[in-house]
Amino acid sequence: MRDWLLGRPVADQDYVVVGSTPEQMERLGYRPVGRDFPVFLHPQTHEEYALARTERKTARGYKGFDIQASPEVTLEQDLARRDLTINAIARDDAGNIIDPHHGVADLKAGILRHVSDAFVEDPVRVLRVARFTARFGFTIAPETRELMREMVRNGEVDHLVPERIWQELSRGLMEDRPSRMLVALRDCGALERVLPEVGALFGVPQPAQQHPEVDTGLHILLVVDYAAAQNYPLTVRFAALTHDLG
């Protein structure tokens, strides 16, 4: 819904199924693919259909959740577990927009705002918000930025696994302005946790034989954006990000 409302190309569509069970889905020919929660592929289109679900935090990290999917879970309850208001918008079969958290207004205003305080339970959300700043150029709501800082202070971000960090960072590097992602991560303190070598370069002058008046961290921001403007592949963009290390 988010990209459709923004007039951006929609790469895929996600469907939420209310009032059904895994057994009913399989009887209809849907193929289960979800390991952590019930997600199914449509027998013809192969699009993803997920059962409406709720979740409860049980341990640290992004996998520390107890997922509950049952016919009693409503669409509104499912949307309430989303990370950002702009990702908590749905459309029913009749074309009606369902927007209990005012995500459409935040889309129009260009704001990234968390749905609820449950945002702090998943450290991946810090990376996702930073990546969305690179994609959309939106502003992070002050209260959401403070929650991101709290997740860094309380050590929740330290439970991210390298594979998940790379998944989000690599996607952010492929946006038009990857520097926005790095700025957002640095602003909340997460850059020093997920990319400490890069974070340490801010405030460090360039070598004397180059441009000692230039901050090395700010130089990296310019270089990664230049690589993006040239439409370079991920390998080159990552090289741009790390070229001043050492």
Side-chain angles (χ1 to χ4, degrees), residues 52-219:
R53 61 189 185 271
T54 60
E55 57 190 30
R56 180 175 59 88
K57 185 73 168 176
T58 57
R60 286 212 156 187
Y62 75 99
K63 285 191 174 182
F65 291 93
D66 177 37
I67 306 296
Q68 295 293 331
S70 72
E72 290 73 34
V73 178
T74 66
L75 177 60
E76 287 74 16
Q77 288 175 314
D78 182 273
L79 294 176
R81 68 174 180 79
R82 305 302 173 93
D83 51 2
L84 299 171
T85 61
I86 65 170
N87 295 331
I89 310 168
R91 183 176 58 174
D92 64 18
D93 291 338
N96 300 306
I97 299 296
I98 301 169
D99 181 25
H101 304 286
H102 312 293
V104 173
D106 282 342
L107 274 180
K108 292 178 180 178
I111 295 175
L112 300 173
R113 191 191 316 275
H114 63 283
V115 170
S116 74
D117 286 345
F119 178 92
V120 302
E121 296 177 351
D122 187 352
V124 173
R125 291 173 171 177
V126 172
L127 302 178
R128 281 172 55 82
V129 171
R131 175 167 63 83
F132 285 148
T133 65
R135 172 176 292 186
F136 302 118
F138 286 4
T139 300
I140 302 173
E143 61 270 27
T144 302
R145 186 183 299 111
E146 182 54 35
L147 285 185
M148 294 166 66
R149 290 171 178 166
E150 176 58 26
M151 295 167 75
V152 174
R153 288 193 296 263
N154 67 19
E156 186 69 36
V157 168
D158 297 331
H159 291 269
L160 286 166
V161 297
E163 295 81 5
R164 200 67 175 91
I165 293 173
W166 172 244
Q167 183 181 43
E168 294 296 329
L169 289 179
S170 61
R171 294 177 70 181
L173 286 173
M174 292 307 295
E175 300 294 351
D176 292 339
R177 291 284 301 278
S179 65
R180 292 170 173 157
M181 173 181 65
L182 301 175
V183 169
L185 290 174
R186 183 167 184 260
D187 182 62
C188 70
L191 185 63
E192 289 74 10
R193 302 295 181 89
V194 300
L195 286 174
E197 300 87 353
V198 174
L201 295 178
F202 285 86
V204 177
Q206 289 274 283
Q209 67 271 26
Q210 297 180 18
H211 302 284
E213 74 282 0
V214 177
D215 182 288
T216 301
L218 299 180
H219 171 68

